[in-house]
């Protein structure tokens, strides 16, 4: 989209913190970036913004509450599985992906991963078939039943004790029936042979 010849300006502020409000009064852009290190942990900051046209007409004030975590925020965990349904006859590899917040001070903090796979669409301790640790989990062939639904749960714990989790449900596919003629792909015979 093309830029407007008469763009909006924005009035940023804070309705909960006078010092932050004073720092934000010079901001006029449509987006705002704040350094988490300049804010106090466990304090709810109310950030306000108002759009203003070139004629001076102002929009309603929008408000957003921002709370700074104490320490490294937990990453977002993603379970990477093949796009095709897993088969009973094939080994299944599942991987953990951790996406850290852009405002995290340490995006290389190590995670201790633990996996659990249970039968059914919801996780249940009494139906756990397989557990593993590490960034990848290998599920051997013949672990699952064709047509059954399973729930895989991933837990990642930082050294600080902060944790994150992810889960995914999948259904095991059925292997296709294959027919084959014994003796190779091609044969040559005489008309008189049987």
């Amino acid at each position: 989209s093309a830029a407007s010849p008469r763009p909006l300006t924005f009035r940023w502020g804070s309705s909960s913190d006078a010092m932050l409000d004073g720092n934000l009064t010079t901001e006029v852009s449509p987006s705002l970036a704040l350094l988490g290190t300049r804010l106090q942990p466990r304090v709810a900051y109310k950030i306000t913004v108002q759009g203003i046209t070139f004629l001076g007409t102002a929009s309603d004030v929008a408000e957003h509450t921002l709370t700074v975590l104490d320490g490294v925020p937990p990453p977002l965990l993603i379970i990477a599985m093949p796009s095709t349904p897993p088969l009973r006859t094939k080994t299944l590899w599942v991987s953990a992906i951790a996406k850290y917040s852009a405002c995290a001070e340490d995006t290389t903090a190590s995670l201790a991963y633990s996996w659990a796979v249970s039968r059914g669409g919801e996780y249940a301790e009494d139906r756990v078939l397989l557990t593993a640790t590490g960034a990848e989990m290998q599920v051997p062939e013949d672990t699952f039943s064709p047509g059954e639904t399973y729930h895989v749960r991933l837990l990642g714990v930082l050294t600080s004790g902060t944790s994150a989790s992810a889960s995914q449900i999948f259904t095991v596919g059925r292997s296709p029936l294959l027919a084959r003629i014994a003796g190779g792909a091609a044969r040559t015979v005489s008309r008189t042979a049987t």
Side-chain angles (χ1 to χ4, degrees):
S1 66
S4 171
R6 297 179 177 149
L8 292 173
T9 57
F10 295 87
R11 184 180 303 143
W12 292 90
S14 173
S15 61
S16 63
D17 187 277
M19 183 181 285
L20 179 59
D21 186 60
N23 291 334
L24 295 178
T25 56
T26 59
E27 295 291 331
V28 293
S29 65
S31 62
L32 179 67
L34 296 172
L35 291 174
T37 55
R38 293 200 174 169
L39 302 173
Q40 296 297 315
R42 299 180 308 278
V43 172
Y45 293 93
K46 293 186 190 277
I47 308 295
T48 60
V49 65
Q50 187 175 36
I52 302 163
T53 69
F54 73 100
L55 294 174
T57 306
S59 71
D60 290 339
V61 175
E63 186 175 88
H64 179 80
T65 302
L66 173 70
T67 303
V68 178
L69 295 175
D70 199 10
V72 177
L76 172 66
L77 295 182
I78 300 166
I79 297 172
M81 292 184 67
S83 58
T84 57
L87 301 174
R88 179 190 62 81
T89 57
K90 303 280 185 190
T91 298
L92 172 67
W93 285 93
V94 184
S95 301
I97 299 171
K99 294 197 179 238
Y100 289 86
S101 168
C103 58
E105 293 175 13
D106 184 7
T107 58
T108 61
S110 64
L111 282 163
Y113 295 106
S114 62
W115 299 86
V117 180
S118 68
R119 186 182 306 273
E122 293 183 20
Y123 179 79
E125 290 284 337
D126 62 330
R127 294 191 308 249
V128 171
L129 302 171
L130 180 69
T131 59
T133 58
E136 289 186 323
M137 176 177 62
Q138 178 186 6
V139 181
E141 61 186 52
D142 295 324
T143 301
F144 301 131
S145 298
E148 293 287 324
T149 300
Y150 296 89
H151 184 280
V152 60
R153 185 187 70 174
L154 170 64
L155 179 66
V157 181
L158 293 165
T159 53
S160 66
T162 304
S163 65
S165 64
S167 63
Q168 191 164 333
I169 298 168
F170 63 94
T171 301
V172 176
R174 299 183 187 277
S175 297
L177 181 61
L178 300 175
R180 202 177 329 187
I181 297 174
R187 286 188 167 262
T188 304
V189 295
S190 74
R191 293 182 70 194
T192 59
T194 56

